[in-house]
Amino acid sequence: MAVDELDTRILRLLLEQPRTSVREYARILGVARGTLQARLDRMEREGVITGTGPALSPAALGHPVLAFVHIEVTQGHLDEVGDALADVPEIVEAFSITGGGDLLTRVVARDNEHLEDVIQKLISLPGVVRTRTEVALRERVPHRLLPLVESIGRGARG
């Protein structure tokens, strides 16, 4: 989908002020509410905007340990293992990958002992050959999309 300068300005506001009303966004941007709503609807329909819920902190929910677990899967069992991962609440994301392993998961835990329990649960899943775990020490760049949106916006202007 092509994102123009107005779309970029809308996305910036959504990221910077997520709890503001559509009417207020329209006022800030100097566009009609209907124009803004049509743009939002189009970006949702085309998959640019994928959610509107709150961002939650696993650490504040009592799970401050973050680890990335690479999972090697027996050939032909990727879908089966992927489906089983959805039943493990401590897995907050999982991706099929290339390189060292077949799946990469982002796992949160209460402490290191809990992380070990989660890893043992993963190892016991049918189709899992082995795992490799990397524990995050400190977040250096938090999840963000605003720099990407701004970069795309600069391209739309030029």
Side-chain angles (χ1 to χ4, degrees):
M1 176 195 141
V3 176
D4 66 15
E5 189 174 350
L6 178 56
D7 292 334
T8 301
R9 291 172 55 215
I10 292 168
L11 292 171
R12 178 186 189 85
L13 270 177
L14 287 174
L15 291 169
E16 290 179 339
Q17 301 176 35
R19 297 181 67 154
T20 302
S21 70
V22 171
R23 177 172 293 164
E24 181 63 10
Y25 288 143
R27 187 194 66 72
I28 292 168
L29 294 169
V31 298
R33 185 183 179 285
T35 299
L36 179 67
Q37 189 63 58
R39 295 286 186 120
L40 290 171
D41 292 345
R42 179 180 50 85
M43 288 190 281
E44 285 180 11
R45 195 173 48 253
E46 294 182 4
V48 173
I49 299 172
T50 58
T52 58
L56 304 178
S57 165
L61 292 169
H63 289 68
V65 176
L66 171 63
F68 298 92
V69 180
H70 298 258
I71 303 173
E72 188 177 320
V73 176
T74 304
Q75 224 171 5
H77 292 267
L78 189 60
D79 289 339
E80 174 186 332
V81 172
D83 291 344
L85 295 178
D87 293 331
V88 180
E90 295 86 359
I91 293 180
V92 295
E93 289 182 298
F95 301 91
S96 299
I97 60 168
T98 63
D102 301 298
L103 294 164
L104 175 62
T105 63
R106 191 166 78 136
V107 177
V108 295
R110 292 185 302 274
D111 51 36
N112 288 342
E113 290 89 14
H114 182 218
L115 177 60
E116 183 181 8
D117 293 342
V118 173
I119 293 166
Q120 291 301 319
K121 187 185 306 184
L122 297 178
I123 291 170
S124 71
L125 293 175
V128 172
V129 175
R130 71 179 51 86
T131 65
R132 182 174 53 92
T133 303
E134 298 162 348
V135 175
L137 300 176
R138 179 181 301 160
E139 182 178 64
R140 299 294 180 162
V141 178
H143 179 76
R144 68 207 180 126
L145 291 173
L146 186 54
L148 176 64
V149 168
E150 289 173 337
S151 172
I152 293 167
R154 282 191 297 274
R157 286 190 297 265

